[in-house]
Amino acid sequence: MRALILAGVAAASLTLSSPLMAAGDVPHPPSVNWSFNGLFGTYDRGALQRGFQVYTEVCASCHALELLSYRNLRAIGFSEDRVKEIAAEVEVTDGPDDEGEMFERPGRPSDRFVSPFPNSQAARASNGGALPPDLSLMTKARKDGINYLNALLVGFADPPADKEIAEGMNYNPYFPGGQIAMAPPLSEDVVEYADKTKATVAQMASDVTTFLAWAAEPELEERKRMGVKVVLFLIVLTGLLYAIKRRVWADLH
Amino acid sequence: MPQPWMNNKLVQWIDYRLPMFTFMDKELLEYPTPRNLNYWWNFGSLAGIVLVIMIATGIVLAMHYTPHVDHAFASVERIMRDVNYGWLLRYVHMNGGSAFFMIVYIHIFRGLYYGSYQAPRELLWILGIMILLAMMAAAFMGYVLPWGQMSYWAATVITNLFSAIPLIGDWIVTWLWGGFAVDNPTLNRFYSLHYLMPFVIVGLVALHLVALHQHGSSNPIGIDAKGPQDKISFHPYYTYKDLFGLGVFLVIFFGFVFFGPNFFGEPENYIAANPLSTPPHIVPEWYFLPYYAILRSATFDIWFIPAKLIGVVLMFGSILILFLVPWLDRSKVRSARYRPIHRQFFWLLFIDCLVLGWIGANAPEGWYVLIGQIATAYYFLHFILVLPLVSMIEKPKPVPTSISEPVLKGGGPQTAAPARSMEDR
């Protein structure tokens, strides 16, 4: 009977995995060995800062990052003064003032990231009807989101001969349906990295993916650090409890 | 055996007026428990501990959460980002829901395997099924609160089920929503009821425990205790056994919380709710997948009864039928250990539930529909036909005459080993 159950579970799990791959004939994004994978993973600070530069200079013209504040950038290794400078580069609408008027002022670290469009209608109007999604949670909001995002950014290509691409759309095998409204955002040297890293498409894609993974899960490093301690403690505690249980029960057996 | 702290004057003063110490001593420490319980009996107390964890984390989360359609999603992200250890609270609560169901399902299958529901424990079983129903309500409404895409569409799909009720269905759905669509009034009432449900569960658990302590725990060989040699005090034996089990559970649980907190979740729920955009696949959390498969197995009308109504009746029926299990099983022997045919069918039911879960996770197309229908049919056949018939026809294997006999091997009555505390040795 045991063997039958095992066979059943094995068969179920095998068949479970196959339809997932067949769904919508979207290829699995290749798995990248990210610095923040694994039990002890941490975000590569260089990649985070380069990724922030790519976001600011390329993505931010269409994609908002509503859940982040400029003050959060301290966590990716910018100094307090640098964060103040970064925030001051944007204009924030504030008010009303004493006359009841709204006014513009330079951003402060406590401000949320300023969105490129005032509302989703304006965003659609500027993007041929397509809505560029907010990126704050993008890597959590897609299946295998981190690898997916990276694959999507390098995945633009000429469509295969039998693939019909609609007006204003671009071929990208990793996007559901194979066509995406976003034009290829990255091209060689579209940014000039402050740290002189060569700005290849793959490099920028990997950097901005790291940055957005951090944006979605800023707690990841603290979570894993704490997790190692908590789980190690619990393993020792459980071992001790087992020893006590054995001693207590010894007189019964 | 009176505990040493019962000699304390203050304890005695209180206990004379409010017998809480006598109660604790009788029900938590001395409480006579069969000496042969295996590790499957750990899951009852484990479920109780997870309930406490859920209430504790839930109360703190509620301090930071905003139940409004415009702010709910952002307030959850605020908890994740700006509240001190908010991410930990939320991930414990989120994964705690999954853990709670995993534990309770194991607990229920344990009861089915060892016949724990048989006389005189029918009401204990029924209270357990009521706890499951209350948990399902709490989990469903809790899942709606973050107001992500899957929250919103799960709320829409599930509340819409009530429209299958003839004549008054649409009226009931409007009443449930508090409007003409899932909207702010819906979110507000779900929040209120989500906070209420755990306390309903606590009440049911209290009754579950009263019913349990009336006749004591069942046990793996399923015969009643013949005398004191068959039982041991709950403390220290089962307190330490349960604590060890708790340790094992916490290692696994916190493994998920810290290293794979979204393993059980749907990525779609990290997108804010949008009534204008339906997700390609609306799927419930894993613990609802079997019911979802049963719901969707009804693909055809029968006479004048629409398929939707059949699906809804089957889905609720799949839980309600569990209430009848103590009377559907006609066997005089409790434990499946001594019921060879019954045991085979038990495992068939177990596999059937896994199959239903797998079907529930997939889009209802092609072979999945047929497999889902067969699995649904077997689920009901098992309880309506197989369980009563097998229990009447089957000739059980001989059952041991006492609990202590197989445990103590030597046989014959022996005096129970006195419960000793650690200091005595």
Side-chain angles (χ1 to χ4, degrees), chain A residues 1 5 16 19 68 71 112 140-142 215 219 222-223 226-228 238 241-242 247-249 251-252, chain B residues 35 78 81-82 85 87 91 237-238 243-244 247 258-259 261-262 267 270-271 344 347 358 368 425:
Chain A
M1 202 63 222
I5 298 161
L16 190 73
L68 260 68
R71 64 183 161 82
R112 292 285 179 122
K140 275 170 117 178
R142 296 290 182 275
E219 88 297 343
E222 189 190 8
R223 169 156 61 76
M226 191 192 284
V228 169
T238 305
L241 285 168
Y242 183 64
R247 270 195 76 174
V248 168
W249 280 73
D251 57 0
L252 284 184
Chain B
R35 57 189 302 153
R78 228 189 148 76
R81 290 155 191 269
D82 292 336
Y85 299 106
W87 56 268
Y91 280 155
Y237 297 106
Y238 287 109
L243 276 175
F244 166 59
F258 287 111
F259 299 106
N262 294 300
Y270 281 109
I271 304 171
Q344 308 278 328
W347 287 114
W358 161 59
Y368 292 126
R425 38 189 94 231

Side-chain angles (χ1 to χ4, degrees), chain B residues 226-246:
Chain B
K226 297 287 193 301
Q229 75 278 10
D230 288 345
K231 295 209 170 186
I232 47 179
S233 62
F234 193 79
H235 180 74
Y237 297 106
Y238 287 109
T239 40
Y240 281 112
K241 195 176 179 181
D242 282 356
L243 276 175
F244 166 59
L246 174 66

Side-chain angles (χ1 to χ4, degrees), chain B residues 5-6 15-16 18-27:
Chain B
W5 42 260
M6 290 292 269
D15 202 59
Y16 184 67
L18 177 72
M20 54 190 265
F21 294 100
T22 306
F23 175 83
M24 271 180 4
D25 185 44
K26 185 162 168 284
E27 303 299 341

Side-chain angles (χ1 to χ4, degrees), chain B residues 255-414:
Chain B
F256 278 107
V257 166
F258 287 111
F259 299 106
N262 294 300
F263 178 82
F264 294 107
E266 272 297 316
E268 197 82 27
N269 224 28
Y270 281 109
I271 304 171
N274 180 358
L276 300 177
S277 153
T278 316
H281 295 292
I282 302 179
V283 281
E285 294 285 84
W286 70 267
Y287 40 80
F288 288 146
L289 289 175
Y291 313 108
Y292 197 49
I294 292 174
L295 171 74
R296 297 190 303 181
S297 69
T299 51
F300 43 83
D301 302 349
I302 297 178
W303 198 24
F304 63 89
I305 311 170
K308 186 177 176 182
L309 179 59
I310 298 170
V312 172
V313 169
L314 286 178
M315 186 180 74
F316 285 106
S318 68
I319 306 270
L320 297 181
I321 200 161
L322 296 176
F323 282 115
L324 301 177
V325 164
W327 294 277
L328 291 170
D329 183 359
R330 318 291 303 170
S331 177
K332 293 280 172 281
V333 173
R334 291 196 186 106
S335 174
R337 270 190 196 175
Y338 308 103
R339 302 169 64 184
I341 307 175
H342 173 76
R343 189 169 65 218
Q344 308 278 328
F345 281 109
F346 166 85
W347 287 114
L348 195 56
L349 176 73
F350 179 72
I351 293 169
D352 190 57
C353 292
L354 292 184
V355 169
L356 282 169
W358 161 59
I359 294 294
N362 283 286
E365 299 157 352
W367 284 100
Y368 292 126
V369 180
L370 185 64
I371 298 172
Q373 286 168 340
I374 295 169
T376 302
Y378 181 73
Y379 181 88
F380 286 98
L381 274 181
H382 178 91
F383 289 110
I384 295 170
L385 218 61
V386 175
L387 185 60
L389 277 184
V390 168
S391 62
M392 282 188 279
I393 297 166
E394 178 176 42
K395 190 178 176 298
K397 290 198 275 191
V399 173
T401 49
S402 90
I403 290 174
S404 49
E405 177 198 305
V407 173
L408 299 175
K409 293 185 181 83
Q414 294 193 13

Side-chain angles (χ1 to χ4, degrees), chain A residues 45 93 180 203 218 240:
Chain A
R45 289 297 182 278
T93 308
I180 183 169
Q203 179 70 43
L240 291 174

Side-chain angles (χ1 to χ4, degrees), chain B residues 189-256:
Chain B
R189 62 193 55 192
F190 278 20
Y191 180 50
S192 166
L193 294 174
H194 181 70
Y195 209 120
L196 170 69
M197 268 304 153
F199 300 98
V200 173
I201 296 175
V202 167
L204 288 169
V205 167
L207 293 175
H208 193 66
L209 287 175
V210 172
L212 172 71
H213 283 226
Q214 177 74 355
H215 291 283
S217 294
S218 173
N219 67 80
I221 61 174
I223 61 169
D224 292 325
K226 297 287 193 301
Q229 75 278 10
D230 288 345
K231 295 209 170 186
I232 47 179
S233 62
F234 193 79
H235 180 74
Y237 297 106
Y238 287 109
T239 40
Y240 281 112
K241 195 176 179 181
D242 282 356
L243 276 175
F244 166 59
L246 174 66
V248 173
F249 163 73
L250 288 179
V251 168
I252 300 168
F253 176 67
F254 279 111
F256 278 107

Side-chain angles (χ1 to χ4, degrees), chain B residues 87-146:
Chain B
W87 56 268
L88 180 58
L89 283 168
R90 171 157 179 268
Y91 280 155
V92 167
H93 199 73
M94 218 170 93
N95 287 281
S98 277
F100 203 2
F101 275 96
M102 185 67 83
I103 289 166
V104 162
Y105 284 153
I106 293 172
H107 191 59
I108 292 172
F109 274 111
R110 190 271 285 157
L112 284 172
Y113 185 87
Y114 292 107
S116 303
Y117 47 79
Q118 282 194 26
R121 297 186 183 84
E122 300 95 323
L123 290 180
L124 174 60
W125 171 262
I126 285 175
L127 283 161
I129 303 301
M130 288 167 72
I131 293 171
L132 175 65
L133 280 171
M135 276 174 63
M136 291 171 70
F140 163 62
M141 289 186 286
Y143 190 65
V144 174
L145 302 184

